Amino acid sequence: MILSPVTPPALSVLSQNIRQQRSDTAAGEADHWADRAPVLADLLQQADVDVLGTQEVLPSQIPVLDEALGHSHLRLGYGRDGGGRGEHNLLLLRRERFELLDWDQFWVSEQPEHIGSVGWDAHCPRIAVWARVADRASGREMVFAVTHLDHAGHLAREKGAGVIAQRLREEADGVPVALIGDFNADSGDSTPWRILRDAGYDDARESAAQIHGDDIGTFPDYGPLTVDGPRIDWIMTRDFEVEAYAAHAHQLDGAWASDHAGVMAQLRPA
């Protein structure tokens, strides 16, 4: 289900893998972007979150995000192949709430500053985007980040989680952090999850005061929603209280927004 709007200083966060646009689909197929795009736009408008992190966004898909949120949210991030090329992990922040203090993008590899670098046994370049903001509602500084770990490389996921934890340790400097993304590993039973937990992060689903709706797995792949199924999309927090969590696979008139469910959380700085 979609969580209700929050009252500041609480804030709302959504992680959504939007599924890349593919040329080998046809109208009426679940994966067809032209059918999915309006469903995604409907989700973003209904959720109206303060912070959105997206994965698998190709340049041709960015206009849908801009049409839905461009008037209200600042978009950060660029292509993993450099400039506007390749998939994007995008971080969108509500302008009226947050003052942007700093932001950057790095590659989840042995050479984080090298554009297009592929880490360890990864199938392709992987990136992370972070932003440090001043929250006008609470008067606090905080850091938000989005990433997408590799789907093929076990070592790349393990080492990548460590790189992300180290970079955010440097950039956050003791302020609350929310790391959101598609980690391509099961929460509670994977090395990347344990590395982030050991780095001081809580899994929002586990620490939430309330779980709303069915506690579904996050990769239904256009199929039946499975309660207690594997969760590969996470919201990991440090120094936030988690008031609510929900996983939601958005559909409209029989069409899906994505092959992934989105995960939402309502957070409050501790």
Side-chain angles (χ1 to χ4, degrees):
M1 65 178 296
I2 296 176
L3 295 177
S4 302
V6 297
T7 301
L11 60 95
S12 53
V13 176
L14 168 64
S15 179
Q16 180 67 65
N17 181 322
I18 76 165
R19 173 60 172 167
Q20 63 175 253
Q21 180 178 3
R22 298 181 62 88
S23 60
D24 58 351
T25 64
E29 295 179 352
D31 201 31
H32 191 55
W33 171 244
D35 294 339
R36 295 191 294 110
V39 188
L40 176 66
D42 183 72
L43 166 64
L44 300 181
Q45 290 162 357
Q46 285 196 45
D48 192 27
V49 293
D50 298 303
V51 179
L52 168 67
T54 62
Q55 306 88 38
E56 286 199 32
V57 185
L58 292 178
S60 59
Q61 296 173 289
I62 292 176
V64 173
L65 302 179
D66 287 348
E67 177 67 23
L69 296 178
H71 63 289
S72 58
H73 287 65
L74 174 67
R75 170 166 56 82
L76 303 173
Y78 52 96
R80 69 186 185 190
D81 297 324
R85 300 186 301 277
E87 289 185 14
H88 296 55
N89 293 343
L90 297 175
L91 194 60
L92 292 95
L93 308 172
R94 191 184 300 278
R95 288 192 181 91
E96 67 178 13
R97 172 142 192 185
F98 302 115
E99 175 190 355
L100 181 65
L101 303 177
D102 194 11
W103 81 278
D104 201 1
Q105 175 169 312
F106 61 92
W107 275 255
V108 184
S109 74
E110 299 98 322
Q111 299 175 291
E113 311 307 323
H114 183 69
I115 293 173
S117 59
V118 178
W120 306 282
D121 57 350
H123 175 76
C124 56
R126 296 293 181 176
I127 54 178
V129 178
W130 63 267
R132 185 166 180 142
V133 302
D135 176 23
R136 296 184 176 99
S138 66
R140 301 280 299 276
E141 291 188 14
M142 48 193 67
V143 167
F144 301 109
V146 60
T147 194
H148 187 185
L149 295 186
D150 198 67
H151 65 288
H154 295 280
L155 186 61
R157 290 193 293 273
E158 174 185 346
K159 296 293 187 180
V163 167
I164 292 168
Q166 177 60 35
R167 177 61 67 94
L168 294 182
R169 186 178 301 115
E170 296 167 358
E171 304 300 344
D173 189 26
V175 305
V177 183
L179 168 62
I180 58 186
D182 174 359
F183 293 84
N184 273 311
D186 194 9
S187 64
D189 188 29
S190 65
T191 301
W193 188 87
R194 288 190 289 271
I195 287 171
L196 291 171
R197 292 280 288 154
D198 290 345
Y201 288 86
D202 294 317
D203 185 328
R205 185 260 190 183
E206 292 195 339
S207 59
Q210 291 184 307
I211 295 177
H212 290 255
D214 292 332
D215 189 15
I216 61 172
T218 67
F219 185 55
D221 196 20
Y222 309 119
L225 305 181
T226 305
V227 174
D228 293 328
R231 293 188 308 111
I232 64 174
D233 302 86
W234 316 334
I235 297 174
M236 305 294 284
T237 68
R238 195 177 69 204
D239 297 326
F240 276 109
E241 295 177 1
V242 183
E243 297 183 342
Y245 167 91
H248 176 68
H250 199 61
Q251 299 178 61
L252 184 66
D253 297 329
W256 299 72
S258 172
D259 57 347
H260 282 246
V263 291
M264 300 184 66
Q266 296 173 346
L267 310 178
R268 185 182 298 267

